[in-house]
Every structure is written in structure tokens, then in C-alpha cells.
Amino acid sequence: MSWTDYYRRRDALDAVLRAAAGNPAAPLTFDRDLFATEDDLLLALHYRWMRQLTGRLGTALEDSDDDRVETVTRTWRALAAEQPVLRAVLDAHLTVPEALEREQRLLALTAGLADLSEPGEDVARVGAAFLGLIRTGPAAVVPGRRRGLAKSA
């Protein structure tokens, strides 16, 4: 991909998010010369999300002495608050299982709730449960209180 292609794709993604700001669940309009299908577009948007999340998680874990679960929770929520349209578009439209599982595995492994030696499906299942807690749990976790998921989660 040339730099020209990169900037065209970046600008096209920005345009999709601007258009979706009023109603992220509405059908997405996009440049079909750059993205052949809606799944291609959504995977590019998810890649943008994951690139930001991964970078922030690395920095947050390095800079924090807090519990890993709390750090991952706080980091995910902060990014979702900073990128509400991107997160809402992904939540409303992304159905590609591999992409969803990639994020779930990242969260479970980074929070220390799963291990690389465990089967990927189990790691993704733990990550899905953890993501559900991140989305619906209390806004703040009591400092010093250790939270975790049961192995059967």
C-alpha cells in the first residue's frame, strides 16, 4: 500500500465516522473503491480501535502499579469515552467473529485472566465475559480490591 492509498483509506474511515456520529447504528456509507464490502470497512475500523487499545494498554500497564484488571478496565473505558463513535459503530455493525475474538483474547490475556497456554476459545470466552463486565460494571473499582473471573466464565 502506498502512502497515497494509506491517506485515502484513513480519510475514508474518518468520513464514515463523521457520517455515523448522528446515528452509529444506521447503515454505513463508504467508498466501495477502497473497501469492497462492509466487513472490509469494519475490519479496518476495528484495526484502528485495536491499534489504539493495544498501545494504550502497553503504556498503562507500564505506568501503573494498580491491579491489571483495573488497569485494563480503566484503559478500555477511557478509549471508548474518547472514541465514542468508533466504539458505537463497531458495537452496532461488527459481526466478524475473528475480530471480536481478537479483542476478547487481548483483554483476557492483558488483564491476566487467561494464559497463552489455554485454548484460544477458552481465552476468548473469558475475554467476552470480562468485556461484558467492563461495559456494564461500576464506573470505579475500589482500590486494593482484587476482582477476577471464575475459571468457568
Side-chain angles (χ1 to χ4, degrees), residues 1-144:
M1 174 187 307
S2 70
W3 282 110
T4 302
D5 292 337
Y6 168 81
Y7 288 119
R8 282 185 62 213
R9 287 174 61 91
R10 182 201 62 190
D11 294 346
L13 293 175
D14 291 344
V16 166
L17 294 175
R18 278 193 306 275
N23 183 3
L28 301 172
T29 56
F30 57 95
D31 185 342
R32 293 200 180 265
D33 290 333
L34 297 174
F35 304 100
T37 66
E38 185 172 286
D39 280 347
D40 289 342
L41 168 73
L42 290 165
L43 287 171
L45 288 168
H46 189 255
Y47 177 72
R48 177 182 279 192
W49 170 264
M50 290 294 288
R51 199 176 65 236
Q52 292 180 47
L53 180 60
T54 303
R56 289 175 187 224
L57 286 171
T59 302
L61 288 170
E62 186 175 306
D63 294 345
S64 177
D65 292 329
D66 290 343
D67 176 79
R68 290 175 67 131
V69 170
E70 170 59 24
T71 301
V72 172
T73 300
R74 185 177 53 249
T75 302
W76 191 97
R77 286 177 178 168
L79 180 58
E82 291 172 28
Q83 299 288 331
V85 177
L86 174 58
R87 188 68 250 171
V89 166
L90 293 173
D91 291 343
H93 298 280
L94 185 64
T95 59
V96 179
E98 296 82 10
L100 298 168
E101 289 172 8
R102 191 174 309 123
E103 182 174 356
Q104 294 162 353
R105 285 192 305 269
L106 171 70
L107 293 171
L109 292 168
T110 306
L113 299 173
D115 188 81
L116 282 172
S117 65
E118 298 177 53
E121 313 84 52
D122 291 349
V123 175
R125 190 170 52 251
V126 169
F130 180 43
L131 182 55
L133 292 173
I134 290 172
R135 291 172 183 272
T136 61
V141 175
V142 177

